[in-house]
Amino acid sequence: MIIHVTYLSGYLAAIISSIIISAILGLPLTPERPARHSWTPSAIFPTPVIALGLTAISIKLGVTGIYGADLGAVAGVLSAIMTAYFLEDIFPRPEDS
C-alpha cells in the first residue's frame, strides 16, 4: 500500500512539531541512563509516537485537514502538551522492587 503524499507530510509534521514543542516545554531530549529502565518522558520518546498515533486516528476517522501537514502539526502540539503535563497521571511510574 502506498501512503499518499498528503498523509506522509502530515506524519512528518507531527514528528517535527512534537519534538520542537516538547523541547520548548522543557522535556529532555533523551531519557535518563540506562534508557531501558528509565521512566522519564522525553522529546524523542514517547512524544512523536503519540503524535503519530493521533495523526493516524484522525486520518482514519476522515479528518484530513487542508494540506495534511496542518493536521500533523496540531497532533504534534497536542501530544507534546499531553506528554509534558498529563502522561504521568495516565501512566504512573512503577514502584521500585
Side-chain angles (χ1 to χ4, degrees), residues 1-71:
M1 177 185 283
I2 298 173
I3 297 176
H4 196 270
V5 175
T6 305
Y7 299 152
L8 185 62
S9 65
Y11 289 131
L12 290 174
I15 292 170
I16 293 168
S17 65
S18 68
I19 291 173
I20 291 172
I21 297 297
S22 61
I24 290 172
L25 290 175
L27 288 175
L29 287 178
T30 57
E32 297 171 348
R33 293 284 181 205
R36 67 175 166 235
H37 298 296
S38 174
W39 194 254
T40 304
S42 65
I44 302 298
F45 183 81
T47 311
V49 177
I50 294 172
L52 289 174
L54 288 174
T55 305
I57 289 170
S58 300
I59 289 172
K60 189 67 175 175
L61 291 175
V63 180
T64 57
I66 298 171
Y67 297 109
D70 56 348
L71 175 66

